[in-house]
Each structure stands twice: as structure tokens, then as C-alpha cells.
Amino acid sequence: MSKNVRGALFMALSMAAFTLNDAMMKSVSDEMSMFQALFLRGAFSTALMVALAVAMGPLTLRLPRRDRTLVALRTLAEIAAAWFFITALFNMPLANASAIMQALPLTVTLAGAVFLGEAVGWRRLLAILIGFVGVMLIVRPGAEGFTIYSVYVVIAVVCVTVRDLTARMVSEETPSTTVAIAASFGVWVFAGVGLTTEEWQPVSLGSAIALAGASITIVGAYLFSILTMRIGEIAFIAPFRYTSLLWALLLGLVVFGDWPDSLTLLGAAIVVATGIFSFRREQKLAAEAAKAAQ
């Protein structure tokens, strides 16, 4: 397989792992609180990531001063994103939450232009605006059936955008595994603090298996996402991010019996279409710039 095909495969596997993790976390929502579920998953997933990091090479904890600040900010953004998204996931259909999260590539592109000075032409800006219209079709504030949890997912998108933007600013001296472990550890500690305000609930065998599966899939998702960024062309690979919506639709129907209404599906289609257009436009501009440089 070519590098692009391998990169696309890793991206698809990463999205499948993330969505499977979401489904397994949602499956325990009737038995325990969000804090307890995050705490149990965080304990297992953090231990797995540390073990993987040690197996792959020395685990670096000494970071440049600037990177320490950036990693701390990224970890806080990860904590906020986890709280808002998992809270929403416990209270709304999986596919609806996943559909809103598809706006993430558009928000990262826009934030990169505003805060990092990355070039974004009028066509991609227009695509981003149309994509946000798609998000509004999914959220539909003020409409019957609207809940605050849709807003929570939108806030999670903002938090993940901050997380990804911060990750771009971390120097190459800091290993990706160290950044991922810091985030996982931060979420685990946050869940532990939140858990002190609640009563511990008994964990059934089924929920224990689901949380173990969620821990393994979230580690796999992080690993595949790192491999994705190191192989092939981003503009070719990035559209495969949207395979997560297919997984969410399938798992939502089979596991939870949920299927989005027509407006939600239309909004999701608009978000995905504008995201793919944005990536393709970026690929074309990069090719033109390379040709001009030659």
C-alpha cells in the first residue's frame, strides 16, 4: 500500500476506535455517573499509555519551559472537552453528538487562520460558514426537542479546537506520547476529584467489560491518530475523519435503537461536504504553491 492509503486506513481505524469508545462509555450511563465512568476508564487507559510509552522508548517528562505551559493548557482543554462531551453523550443520541463533532476540522481551520496566521482563502471561509449552518440544522436552538446537551457538544468542539491548536504549537522536542499521557492523567485526576462529591456505584460485569473496552479503544484511537499524522498527505487523509459519522449512525441504530431525523442528517451532510471541500481546496493550493516554487 502507498503511504496515502496506509494513512487513510490509520485514520479510518482511529475514527472507528474513537466512536467505539463513545458507544461503550454511553452504554454504562444507566449504571454509573459520568465521573465514575471517566475515572475507571482513565485509570486503565493511563496505565496502558505509560506502559506503551516505556516499551517504545524512554518516557520523557522533562519539557522545555514553553512546552510545559502549552501541554498544561492542552490538558485543561482536554479535561473540559471530556466533561462537556461525555455529559452530553450520556443524555443524547450517539449519532447526533457525533454529527456536531464533524464541525471540528472546520473550526480548527478557522482558528488556525485567526490565531496562527495560516492562509485561508474566501472559498474555504465560505465553506466554513456553510458548515456552521449545517451545525445549526443539527442543534436547532429553540426548536422542539432542543436540549442543552447539544450546546454542550458545541462547547466540546470549541475545547477540542483549543486542544488541537495548542498541540500544533508544541515543539518537536516534546514526544507525542508525553502529551497524550498528560492529557489522560489530567482527565483521570479531574474525574477523581468530581467523584468525591458522589456515591460510588457498584460496577456490573457488563459495565466492567465495556469500560475495559473503552480504555483499550481510546488508547488505540490515540495511537492510530499519531500514526496517521506521520504517514501520507494530510489533505488526502483528512476526509477519512468523517467515517466516524458512519460508525456513529451504525452503532446508534444497532446498540441504542436511535436514528437521527432528516434535518439532522441534512446538517451532517452539509458539514461533511464543506469539510471535504475545504481539504480538497487546501490540497489544490498546496500543489499550486509547490509548482510555483519549482
Side-chain angles (χ1 to χ4, degrees):
M1 291 187 290
S2 68
K3 288 184 176 181
N4 279 348
V5 172
R6 280 187 290 155
L9 176 61
F10 286 141
M11 176 63 85
L13 289 172
S14 174
M15 293 301 102
F18 273 123
T19 312
L20 284 168
N21 164 77
D22 293 342
M24 285 184 278
M25 289 292 286
K26 183 174 177 62
S27 70
V28 305
S29 60
D30 291 336
E31 186 173 311
M32 66 186 71
S33 70
M34 179 270 298
F35 282 126
Q36 185 173 339
L38 271 181
F39 178 80
L40 291 172
R41 188 195 72 175
F44 193 18
S45 61
T46 302
L48 280 176
M49 278 194 275
V50 171
L52 279 174
V54 172
M56 293 168 62
L59 179 59
T60 302
L61 298 178
R62 292 184 179 180
L63 309 179
R65 179 176 299 177
R66 180 174 179 272
D67 282 1
R68 288 200 296 269
T69 302
L70 291 172
V71 170
L73 177 59
R74 186 189 182 280
T75 300
L76 289 174
E78 184 79 61
I79 291 170
W83 188 87
F84 281 109
F85 183 73
I86 300 299
T87 301
L89 189 64
F90 274 32
N91 294 278
M92 68 185 295
L94 172 64
N96 292 49
S98 180
I100 298 173
M101 291 299 292
Q102 304 311 306
L104 182 59
L106 300 174
T107 59
V108 171
T109 300
L110 181 60
V114 174
F115 297 105
L116 299 183
E118 297 179 356
V120 177
W122 68 268
R123 292 180 179 85
R124 279 192 288 170
L125 283 176
L126 180 60
I128 290 170
L129 291 176
I130 295 173
F132 289 153
V133 171
V135 172
M136 288 298 101
L137 283 176
I138 302 170
V139 177
R140 295 199 296 279
E144 185 179 354
F146 168 76
T147 67
I148 190 61
Y149 299 111
S150 295
V151 178
Y152 277 19
V153 183
V154 174
I155 297 174
V157 169
V158 175
C159 294
V160 175
T161 302
V162 174
R163 181 198 71 184
D164 289 355
L165 206 65
T166 307
R168 290 192 187 191
M169 299 167 66
V170 175
S171 70
E172 294 182 358
E173 298 176 49
T174 300
S176 300
T177 50
T178 301
V179 178
I181 289 171
S184 181
F185 181 77
V187 172
W188 178 49
V189 172
F190 168 75
V193 172
L195 191 56
T196 60
T197 64
E198 301 174 346
E199 185 177 347
W200 181 271
Q201 299 299 319
V203 181
S204 66
L205 177 60
S207 291
I209 293 173
L211 288 171
S215 301
I216 294 171
T217 52
I218 196 68
V219 172
Y222 285 140
L223 179 60
F224 285 127
S225 64
I226 292 171
L227 290 172
T228 295
M229 293 298 105
R230 294 181 174 178
I231 298 176
E233 302 171 14
I234 298 299
F236 178 86
I237 295 168
F240 288 88
R241 177 189 297 272
Y242 296 113
T243 56
S244 64
L245 183 56
L246 300 178
W247 280 104
L249 288 169
L250 177 62
L251 290 170
L253 179 62
V254 174
V255 179
F256 304 107
D258 296 325
W259 186 257
D261 59 28
S262 56
L263 276 179
T264 298
L265 290 174
L266 175 61
I270 291 173
V271 172
V272 170
T274 52
I276 292 176
F277 170 82
S278 180
F279 286 126
R280 291 304 183 193
R281 182 65 183 167
E282 181 179 353
Q283 185 180 39
K284 181 180 179 181
L285 292 175
E288 290 175 354
K291 186 177 180 180
Q294 290 177 354

